[in-house]
Amino acid sequence: MEKILFTSESVTEGHPDKVCDQISDAILDEIIKLDPYARVACETTCTTGIVSIMGEISTNCYVDIPKIARNVIKDIGYNDARFGFNGDTCAVVTNIDEQSKDIAQGVDHAENYMEKTGAGDQGMMFGYACDETKELMPLAISLSHQLAKQLSYVRKAKIVPYLGPDGKTQVTLEYENDTVKRIDTIVVSSQHEDGIDLTKLRNDIINHVIHPIVPSHLVDENTRILINPTGRFVIGGPQGDSGLTGRKIIVDTYGGYARHGGGAFSGKDCTKVDRSAAYAARYVAKNIVGAKLAKKCEIQLAYAIGVAEPVSLRVDTFGTSTVDEQQLVSAIRKVFDLSVDGIISSLDLRNPIYRQLASYGHMGREDLNVSFEKTDKINELLNAIKG
């Protein structure tokens, strides 16, 4: 019997990279509330005492970018000097230009389809689903996200009031013959106030973060639990490490369990296929697994800048498909419109849904009722296969 270990990680909303993702997506949301057809490519960096916002934005509306950034920072919990960063007192610098006209002309009028939207860039995007969890996500990233959310919850609810906004989680699973058998290691690291006893912190995190989340039947006497393994985590957030939009792309997707095309999501409007086509690929993969046409499914899409339709579509079910994979490709082409306009329309992506996705993962978010997590194409797929 083959035994392997696999690990995924997550981070809390107070991690410096996630601070930046949330600022970029909050700016996107505020713009598309007023101008749904705006072109937005907004990136953020942060470090001790300063936030810098840059990018290309073409819109007919005005939003107060520094105010949005400060509100996000304070909402996360950086409103107290104890944790080294404060949304009221940090500097916010902006450097925004318009989208390049060379790019805009290809997006506005796709090659050979002047009335259609062209892809905002070239590239490949992957979507994945598997039957390890009810939301059809890999278990390691699912548990890592749940632990990270719980870590933030007990801080904000003042159940463990001395915790800071920054934190990380990690789960290592042991697989036997491709089936999860046990949890090998759990790692939780949380920023905390100075002077907190480490034994108390570890007991509080075990009792209030780990026990409510981790399935007890997967934990045994050999499961390692590591909490703040350096012994101290007072300096965190942008004071402890610089942050940058788009630097947590594996946390945002499948925790390393599936391939990744390399494109980040946050701060990009829906004409950027890095984002919209990755959502569409997840939507397709989830419906295939939801239809029980495969236990695992990975979809690859690829686009060329200024071209409406994908240049390639690939399906890989890792030998778990109940039908030939070419049949799946044919069924996908019948059921899903994977042109840029088709994705935007079918997934309703011109709405301000993005900041809520910018922490704890974009995929598997059934809690947010996002369109690309629905399994509403199962019957159409099954009929297409039969037909």
Side-chain angles (χ1 to χ4, degrees), residues 303-350:
Y303 292 80
I305 190 168
V307 178
E309 301 283 343
V311 299
S312 71
L313 162 64
R314 179 176 183 269
V315 178
D316 188 351
T317 61
F318 309 92
T320 69
S321 177
T322 60
V323 298
D324 183 79
E325 287 181 353
Q326 285 307 306
Q327 284 184 272
L328 288 177
V329 171
S330 297
I332 290 166
R333 293 189 186 279
K334 289 178 183 177
V335 173
F336 297 92
D337 181 353
L338 296 172
S339 68
V340 178
D341 283 333
I343 292 170
I344 293 170
S345 176
S346 64
L347 299 182
D348 202 18
L349 295 180
R350 293 197 187 276

Side-chain angles (χ1 to χ4, degrees), residues 38-50:
R39 300 284 165 75
V40 181
C42 178
E43 298 192 41
T44 304
T45 64
C46 65
T47 188
T48 305
I50 188 168

Side-chain angles (χ1 to χ4, degrees), residues 6 8 128 130 132 138 175 178 250 254-259 296 298:
F6 185 84
S8 293
Y128 182 80
C130 65
E132 287 185 9
Y175 284 78
D178 211 30
I250 300 302
Y254 307 101
Y257 205 83
R259 295 176 181 93
K296 300 179 181 181
E298 183 180 80

Side-chain angles (χ1 to χ4, degrees), residues 44-325:
T44 304
T45 64
C46 65
T47 188
T48 305
I50 188 168
V51 174
S52 180
I53 301 165
M54 67 206 83
E56 298 79 44
I57 299 175
S58 297
T59 183
N60 59 23
C61 72
Y62 169 79
V63 299
D64 188 337
I65 289 177
K67 182 178 179 181
I68 294 167
R70 293 185 190 281
N71 286 341
V72 169
I73 293 163
K74 290 186 287 184
D75 183 55
I76 290 167
Y78 288 116
N79 50 15
D80 190 320
R82 289 177 301 162
F83 298 118
F85 200 69
N86 190 324
D88 286 319
T89 60
C90 67
V92 180
V93 179
T94 62
N95 185 6
I96 305 294
D97 205 348
E98 290 185 331
Q99 184 182 59
S100 160
K101 289 180 171 59
D102 295 347
I103 296 173
Q105 68 180 8
V107 178
D108 293 337
H109 304 291
E111 182 186 48
N112 299 327
Y113 298 95
M114 294 299 288
E115 75 283 3
K116 290 189 176 182
T117 302
D121 202 353
Q122 71 175 43
M124 64 282 190
M125 303 84 208
F126 291 90
Y128 182 80
C130 65
D131 62 1
E132 287 185 9
T133 62
K134 66 177 181 61
E135 68 272 21
L136 305 184
M137 285 286 286
L139 181 59
I141 188 65
S142 179
L143 286 175
S144 295
H145 284 324
Q146 289 178 59
L147 287 168
K149 282 194 282 187
Q150 183 72 4
L151 192 58
S152 287
Y153 168 72
V154 300
R155 169 179 63 88
K156 289 185 168 183
K158 302 191 183 304
I159 296 168
V160 189
Y162 56 81
L163 297 182
D166 197 356
K168 304 181 82 170
T169 61
Q170 186 170 287
V171 175
T172 301
L173 301 178
E174 181 181 298
Y175 284 78
E176 188 176 286
N177 291 342
D178 211 30
T179 300
V180 176
K181 288 299 180 184
R182 57 183 293 273
I183 296 174
D184 184 81
T185 306
I186 299 167
V187 184
V188 179
S189 294
S190 180
Q191 187 182 17
H192 58 85
E193 293 178 10
D194 199 4
I196 297 300
D197 178 71
L198 185 59
T199 300
K200 175 176 172 53
L201 182 143
R202 287 175 171 164
N203 287 335
D204 282 345
I205 288 180
I206 288 171
N207 292 328
H208 298 295
V209 177
I210 294 175
H211 283 171
I213 297 299
V214 174
S216 58
H217 70 278
L218 293 178
V219 177
D220 60 27
E221 67 276 8
N222 295 317
T223 298
R224 291 186 298 167
I225 297 177
L226 305 175
I227 297 170
N228 283 29
T230 69
R232 179 180 167 87
F233 188 180
V234 174
I235 301 171
Q239 183 186 28
D241 194 7
S242 61
L244 175 65
T245 298
R247 202 156 56 181
K248 285 290 177 285
I249 59 175
I250 300 302
V251 171
D252 285 344
T253 51
Y254 307 101
Y257 205 83
R259 295 176 181 93
H260 197 294
F265 300 155
S266 290
K268 297 178 181 178
D269 73 81
C270 55
T271 65
K272 279 71 171 176
V273 284
D274 277 344
R275 178 171 224 159
S276 53
Y279 292 167
R282 163 66 178 170
Y283 183 47
V284 174
K286 186 171 183 179
N287 275 271
I288 288 172
V289 175
K292 301 190 185 304
L293 292 168
K295 292 175 67 64
K296 300 179 181 181
C297 181
E298 183 180 80
I299 303 293
Q300 186 199 44
L301 299 172
Y303 292 80
I305 190 168
V307 178
E309 301 283 343
V311 299
S312 71
L313 162 64
R314 179 176 183 269
V315 178
D316 188 351
T317 61
F318 309 92
T320 69
S321 177
T322 60
V323 298
D324 183 79
E325 287 181 353

Side-chain angles (χ1 to χ4, degrees), residues 15-28:
H15 185 283
D17 293 332
K18 280 291 146 200
V19 172
C20 294
D21 284 344
Q22 289 170 90
I23 291 171
S24 293
D25 271 338
I27 292 167
L28 170 63

